[in-house]
Amino acid sequence: AQKITQTQPGMFVQEKEAVTLDCTYDTSDPSYGLFWYKQPSSGEMIFLIYQGSYDQQNATEGRYSLNFQKARKSANLVISASQLGDSAMYFCAMREPISNFGNEKLTFGTGTRLTIIP
Amino acid sequence: SAVISQKPSRDICQRGTSLTIQCQVDSQVTMMFWYRQQPGQSLTLIATANQGSEATYESGFVIDKFPISRPNLTFSTLTVSNMSPEDSSIYLCSAGTLGHTEAFFGQGTRLTVV
């Protein structure tokens, strides 16, 4: 079974609108972390936001917020007030278990290509 | 945080040859990871590079094809051996650091095999 599922291969959004990118995950480990990365056409991976399985509050970082619904095993990324520079591939990823040592590998979803329309 | 420098950033290679990709981190890290991203695909872990021991390879990846070195806590190399066009991908180096849950990535190496 897929550990990380992103069901939207591509999305087109008008500039300045909000957009939600979907991500569902599958794990039996109570300790895990969920990540979103942005990959522009240059190929680099840019970390956006992190949510730990034990975190009570939804994570926020500037225009990015994570809608974490633990019972549904979903971790959707919300981008508010989209900008042209937001056009990129977006990957949801998971680490299980999660620690502060950074020793665990990441499992990635298939990604969503977001295109912002002026 | 950690800054990861990866080189070369891109290369075009002849089939049957080998390419070594270097990854340098600006701080000591325990684990370093090598990922492959085939065209239009997601990232797949090739192996985890441990300092002082052999790398741990994921299913479908073997040491003869992707030998990895990790001579110290800040540096690792990945070699893509006996290349074929199917090896054309972006190869990414990654590391985690103590006190940070997120993984940091190098800029990637965009490899084209002709």
Side-chain angles (χ1 to χ4, degrees), chain B residues 7 9 18 23 25 27 33 37 39-41 52 60 63 65-66 69 71-72 76 83 89 91-92 97 104 109-110 113:
Chain B
K7 59 180 181 182
S9 58
S18 297
C23 180
V25 190
S27 57
F33 305 90
Q37 185 179 23
Q41 304 294 316
I63 187 170
K65 176 67 176 176
F66 297 102
S69 79
N72 57 52
S76 178
M83 289 183 286
S89 297
Y91 292 86
L92 293 132
T97 60
F104 302 95
T109 296
R110 195 179 294 267
V113 183

Side-chain angles (χ1 to χ4, degrees), chain B:
Chain B
S1 64
V3 175
I4 301 180
S5 301
Q6 192 175 332
K7 59 180 181 182
S9 58
R10 59 176 63 230
D11 207 342
I12 301 173
C13 300
Q14 296 289 326
R15 67 177 69 200
T17 63
S18 297
L19 175 73
T20 295
I21 302 167
Q22 299 181 3
C23 180
Q24 178 76 54
V25 190
D26 69 344
S27 57
Q28 293 185 343
V29 295
T30 309
M31 297 292 192
M32 295 178 74
F33 305 90
W34 287 98
Y35 291 85
R36 181 178 74 180
Q37 185 179 23
Q38 294 178 300
Q41 304 294 316
S42 184
L43 281 74
T44 301
L45 183 66
I46 297 171
T48 302
N50 312 305
Q51 194 262 333
S53 63
E54 271 197 7
T56 303
Y57 287 83
E58 297 297 303
S59 175
F61 297 96
V62 295
I63 187 170
D64 290 346
K65 176 67 176 176
F66 297 102
I68 287 171
S69 79
R70 179 85 194 272
N72 57 52
L73 291 175
T74 63
F75 186 78
S76 178
T77 67
L78 168 75
T79 298
V80 186
S81 303
N82 188 23
M83 289 183 286
S84 67
E86 292 70 36
D87 294 319
S88 297
S89 297
I90 299 174
Y91 292 86
L92 293 132
C93 170
S94 174
T97 60
L98 184 64
H100 291 87
T101 48
E102 72 269 30
F104 302 95
F105 283 84
Q107 313 93 310
T109 296
R110 195 179 294 267
L111 171 62
T112 302
V113 183
V114 296

Side-chain angles (χ1 to χ4, degrees), chain A residues 1-2 10 16-18 29 44 54 59 62 65 70 78 89 96:
Chain A
Q2 293 284 341
K16 298 181 185 175
E17 288 186 353
D29 198 314
E44 62 190 301
Y54 295 120
S65 61
K70 196 170 182 177
V78 180
M89 281 291 288
E96 44 172 350

